[in-house]
Amino acid sequence: MVETFRAMVIDTVDGKPAAGFREVSLKDLPDNDVLVEIAYSTLNYKDGLAITGKGRIARRTPLIAGIDISGTVVESRSAEWKPGDKVIVNGWGLSETEPGAYGRYQRVKAEWLIPLPDAFSLQQAMAIGTAGYTSALCVDALEKWGAIKPGEGEVLVTGAAGGVGSVAIALLSARGYKVTASTGRPETHPYLESLGATNFIDRAELQQKGGPLQKERWTGGVDSVGSTTLANALAQTARGGAIAACGLAGGADLPGTVLPHILRSVALIGVDSVMAPKEQRLSAWSRLARDLDKTKLDAITTVEPMSKLPELAQAIIDGQIRGRVVIDVTA
Ligand SMILES: NC(=O)c1ccc[n+]([C@@H]2O[C@H](COP(=O)([O-])OP(=O)(O)OC[C@H]3O[C@@H](n4cnc5c(N)ncnc54)[C@H](OP(=O)(O)O)[C@@H]3O)[C@@H](O)[C@H]2O)c1
């Protein structure tokens, strides 16, 4: 085991977050129960915010960035985990209040870990990452609410060509739903079709302010955009339907009315992946293992070296990333 390694660290410079590579020692890691040798991490929108400084993600500095880990346990003081176990961590405050994934090693709390599902390699688990696991939480939430039933109805996915959107389309189409993809990038239509989308809606259409109750089009939806897009999605949802909202790529506001909720019993289900309880995580990962076509997953994945994080972070903030980016923390 190496004593020092390169990590992407968020600092505070002139009162603002600033990210850069730095040598970190094993002694700098927190005194948590399980030492994991990290194989891969990934690039999520939140990582983009943290690295570019566009969002104040790290609530204390210096802090290693990166919210997702896949790797192998090398030391454990917990009876639950032993050296050699293949594991995943998603969220739990990594890169916010806890040191994160962009380095060779991290010491994490035993209760944050879940076992790598047999269906996936360590690389595929990070191709899924928080974005994909959040899509599974959203689809789980819609089915558990009873808004959507496998094989029935049309489901809207916004931010379709992004990480959450891409995996949501693949998961929904595997369950037999008709999926309408909202994207601002028409050139991604063949890609989205290959994932299972059958209809398209230009994202500009959902970004225009619409009426409080519009034509009922969706039984449910997965929204990673927020703002006017989410308000319109709710106004277009059929009686008894629901939208699972997890993102704010288009804005954190919600300029709508209560009318869809009180006149059509439409539900707005909030989804937070960071502090989701373990049973929800296990349910989401078993859905991914059951329903996510690995050929589709591999087709939406690119693997990039950690050294490229600064430019990749800017690209995800600029809406230029398609699908999922796995980060090789050894390169
Ligand atoms: N609640 C949670 O636990 C949780 C977990 C994961 C992610 N998230 C949030 O979910 C969102 C998406 O994450 P991601 O990893 O999928 O990011 P991503 O890969 O960057 O995808 C976001 C997509 O949103 C669309 N978009 C970007 N800017 C937009 C704008 N100004 N107006 C409308 N649409 C826009 C784009 O889709 P098109 O190019 O197809 O239009 C883009 O590909 C982020 O806000 C992220 O923070 C939340």
Side-chain angles (χ1 to χ4, degrees):
M1 203 169 5
V2 297
E3 275 303 307
T4 63
F5 53 91
R6 201 170 54 123
M8 166 62 83
V9 177
I10 311 291
D11 252 311
T12 304
V13 177
D14 298 333
K16 293 189 188 127
F21 290 109
R22 188 193 283 183
E23 281 301 302
V24 170
S25 156
L26 285 175
K27 295 189 196 82
D28 299 330
L29 302 181
D31 185 30
N32 289 324
D33 279 344
V34 186
L35 178 66
V36 177
E37 180 174 7
I38 301 170
Y40 297 100
S41 185
T42 179
L43 179 75
N44 296 281
Y45 192 82
K46 191 189 265 180
D47 298 312
L49 291 173
I51 294 169
T52 58
K54 187 156 181 246
R56 199 174 283 274
I57 301 299
R59 277 177 255 145
R60 64 183 176 92
T61 56
L63 201 65
I64 299 176
I67 66 171
D68 283 315
I69 290 172
S70 74
T72 307
V73 172
V74 283
E75 287 171 7
S76 173
R77 296 187 306 235
S78 153
E80 218 184 326
W81 305 103
K82 58 178 188 326
D85 287 345
K86 305 269 187 247
V87 290
I88 304 172
V89 187
N90 302 115
W92 288 121
L94 297 187
S95 177
E96 297 183 75
T97 51
E98 312 288 341
Y102 294 145
R104 282 299 273 142
Y105 294 92
Q106 193 49 269
R107 264 199 210 95
V108 296
K109 293 190 176 159
E111 61 268 28
W112 294 347
L113 293 164
I114 58 165
L116 177 75
D118 290 340
F120 300 121
S121 66
L122 288 170
Q123 184 180 308
Q124 285 168 326
M126 288 297 96
I128 294 165
T130 281
Y133 139 70
T134 302
S135 311
L137 287 175
C138 289
V139 180
D140 260 8
L142 291 172
E143 288 190 349
K144 281 183 184 145
W145 181 259
I148 61 173
K149 292 188 183 56
E152 289 174 30
E154 186 164 359
V155 180
L156 173 69
V157 175
T158 64
V164 172
S166 297
V167 178
I169 293 169
L171 288 177
L172 287 161
S173 81
R175 297 281 276 174
Y177 299 105
K178 199 168 159 196
V179 182
T180 292
S182 165
T183 179
R185 291 183 275 174
E187 68 277 14
T188 63
H189 287 191
Y191 161 79
L192 297 171
E193 261 165 358
S194 75
L195 294 177
T198 47
N199 290 326
F200 297 98
I201 174 167
D202 192 313
R203 89 178 186 201
E205 200 181 316
L206 291 174
Q207 284 176 316
Q208 279 165 22
K209 193 165 168 40
L213 286 174
Q214 302 171 34
K215 184 168 173 258
E216 295 174 58
R217 298 176 72 176
W218 330 111
T219 51
V222 174
D223 176 63
S224 58
V225 173
S227 192
T228 315
T229 301
L230 175 56
N232 280 321
L234 289 165
Q236 295 170 1
T237 297
R239 174 169 300 282
I243 302 288
C246 68
L248 42 59
D253 58 334
L254 181 50
T257 75
V258 296
L259 295 186
H261 311 296
I262 66 171
L263 296 181
R264 289 181 178 163
S265 295
V266 168
L268 171 57
I269 307 176
V271 172
D272 167 38
S273 65
V274 176
M275 301 307 282
K278 192 162 186 173
E279 62 274 17
Q280 283 182 21
R281 293 170 186 262
L282 293 172
S283 168
W285 277 97
S286 41
R287 174 181 292 276
L288 289 156
R290 184 191 65 204
D291 291 346
L292 189 59
D293 178 335
K294 278 185 272 174
T295 319
K296 287 182 181 173
L297 179 64
D298 292 342
I300 69 171
T301 306
T302 49
V303 182
E304 299 284 3
M306 189 165 78
S307 57
K308 275 179 76 179
L309 270 175
E311 62 197 89
L312 293 165
Q314 191 58 53
I316 200 164
I317 294 303
D318 293 342
Q320 298 305 317
I321 297 284
R322 191 184 83 169
R324 300 283 300 133
V325 178
V326 170
I327 301 297
D328 178 352
V329 298
T330 66

